[in-house]
Amino acid sequence: MNTSRWVLLAGTLVVVCAGGWYGMIWMPGSSYQGALPLATDEIHDLEQKLHTHVHTLSRQIGERNLFHYDELLLAAEYIRAEFKSAGYEVLRQTFDVSGKVCENIEAEVRGTDRREDILVIGAHYDSVKGSPGANDNGTGIAAMLALARQFAQSPVSRTLRFVAFANEEPPFFQTPNMGSRVYAQRSRQQNERIILMLSLETIGYYTEAPNTQRYPPPLSLIYPSKGNFIGFVSNLANRNWVQQAVGSFRQHTQFPSEGAALFEWLPGVGWSDHWAFWQEGFPALMVTDTALFRDPNYHTSNDTPDHIHFDHLARVVTGLQHVIRDLANQP
């Protein structure tokens, strides 16, 4: 029996088999449903720390990119200072763009017994032109800084690298001047063994209102209409990594979650720094609230801290701690 079918995806007619679809969307465990548990003292404490990071980046510093270069430098200085205060030796990868020095900023926890295996946790610290970038991507940087502090005194089997990238936003996205592209190319040239890269991209907007979540067609037929979940997304080649990440998150965390391994050409699937690692053959996935498919303030002047749901963000970061620990210690 022929179980394949034709599906309209982003305006292109393609044929996929039913089993293929199942492999793309099946995830271990079940997404959490119902009221969130009462927040613990640890969640409240983390919430305040995340708020401080996002407020500093988006309110005190504001729009930060090559067109607001002084602010971009201030953001880099803030990230370096936070790494240092957590006890890290900070590494800088500098590169020139139009006569201005840009930098990727790195802090590393050496693995205890599998040091050559590297897990990269990355986020971009620039904001798009015209936006203070609280959610995109102040939340990603805030989460990365919080996770780096968590693991500074808690080593794991594999090496962890926490990296802040410059120049993810247009006009540098998917160009040689994209910070993560520069970083991934260097890693390939040095024959580094990056087992996985996690891109933390726009992770702070959540709502229980109905019909607040949009998708590229036909994903709306599969996934929830409420924008209350954290998403794990990658391409077909990295399906197993997405399943591992989602499975770990669901095992440890009472918070809604969804995952998918999709065609790279679907809108949104490759729209962050994980794309740069794909180009060099490294496994990579994105953790996201789905950005423009949910957040009405995306890439606008209204992307401010008052629209961020810090309690939810803290719960997601707590879940990611478990995901990273599981991935870094897996046999």
Side-chain angles (χ1 to χ4, degrees):
M1 181 176 66
N2 186 357
T3 59
S4 64
R5 56 177 174 169
W6 290 95
V7 179
L8 186 66
L9 286 176
T12 303
L13 199 62
V14 298
V15 62
V16 295
C17 67
W21 266 117
Y22 183 76
M24 293 162 68
I25 66 175
W26 178 84
M27 295 292 139
S30 299
S31 178
Y32 180 79
Q33 298 182 14
L36 297 179
L38 290 176
T40 63
D41 290 341
E42 290 78 11
I43 290 292
H44 285 307
D45 182 59
L46 178 56
E47 181 180 348
Q48 291 304 311
K49 292 176 181 176
L50 294 167
H51 185 277
T52 297
H53 292 322
V54 174
H55 187 274
T56 300
L57 290 167
S58 60
R59 288 289 194 197
Q60 296 183 19
I61 296 175
E63 181 179 342
R64 50 203 179 276
N65 47 51
L66 245 63
F67 311 100
H68 285 73
Y69 185 59
D70 289 344
E71 289 78 7
L72 188 70
L73 296 180
L74 285 173
E77 181 180 349
Y78 178 76
I79 294 164
R80 290 196 302 270
E82 287 296 315
F83 278 154
K84 288 178 180 178
S85 71
Y88 286 101
E89 177 183 351
V90 180
L91 301 178
R92 301 171 62 203
Q93 180 190 26
T94 60
F95 55 102
D96 181 272
V97 179
S98 301
K100 295 180 178 177
V101 176
C102 300
E103 62 178 295
N104 298 322
I105 310 158
E106 176 188 306
E108 182 178 88
V109 180
R110 295 289 284 170
T112 57
D113 61 300
R114 285 181 288 173
R115 294 184 174 182
E116 299 306 312
D117 289 354
I118 301 167
L119 179 61
V120 175
I121 301 94
H124 72 89
Y125 64 94
D126 60 313
S127 68
V128 74
K129 292 173 65 176
S131 176
N135 197 22
D136 185 15
N137 192 32
T139 55
I141 287 292
M144 189 268 294
L145 291 174
L147 290 165
R149 187 171 291 273
Q150 169 70 23
F151 283 97
Q153 305 301 325
S154 182
V156 290
S157 179
R158 290 175 163 133
T159 293
L160 301 179
R161 283 188 188 167
F162 300 93
V163 189
F165 301 113
N167 301 354
E168 188 269 355
E169 298 288 0
F172 307 110
F173 181 61
Q174 296 189 354
T175 75
N177 293 324
M178 185 181 181
S180 53
R181 189 81 168 97
V182 175
Y183 187 93
Q185 287 177 329
R186 186 197 66 179
S187 294
R188 176 54 66 198
Q189 291 167 1
Q190 295 180 351
N191 292 318
E192 292 180 331
R193 192 190 303 164
I194 295 176
I195 64 158
L196 182 65
M197 183 270 182
L198 294 175
S199 175
L200 308 182
E201 173 63 67
T202 312
I203 59 174
Y205 189 88
Y206 303 91
T207 175
E208 293 293 333
N211 301 317
T212 49
Q213 182 66 54
R214 302 177 302 278
Y215 306 91
L219 300 182
S220 59
L221 302 176
I222 303 167
Y223 292 102
S225 63
K226 288 183 180 179
N228 65 351
F229 61 88
I230 189 67
F232 295 79
V233 182
S234 192
N235 57 10
L236 296 175
N238 291 299
R239 178 181 62 187
N240 290 340
W241 285 112
V242 177
Q243 291 172 346
Q244 288 185 56
V246 171
S248 174
F249 188 90
R250 289 177 173 178
Q251 179 182 355
H252 298 291
T253 314
Q254 293 178 301
F255 191 88
S257 59
E258 299 293 341
L262 301 168
F263 299 109
E264 289 185 25
W265 45 263
L266 270 176
V269 172
W271 290 359
S272 191
D273 294 299
H274 57 299
W275 172 90
F277 287 77
W278 291 349
Q279 307 316 300
E280 300 301 326
F282 294 121
L285 62 88
M286 174 173 57
V287 182
T288 181
D289 65 14
T290 75
L292 74 162
F293 297 107
R294 177 188 306 175
D295 186 353
N297 309 296
Y298 174 79
H299 278 197
T300 74
S301 60
N302 291 324
D303 185 5
T304 53
D306 49 302
H307 295 118
I308 304 302
H309 300 83
F310 286 97
D311 169 84
H312 290 48
L313 176 59
R315 295 170 191 265
V316 167
V317 173
T318 299
L320 290 175
Q321 291 177 8
H322 294 290
V323 172
I324 292 167
R325 191 175 305 281
D326 284 351
L327 293 176
N329 285 326
Q330 68 180 181

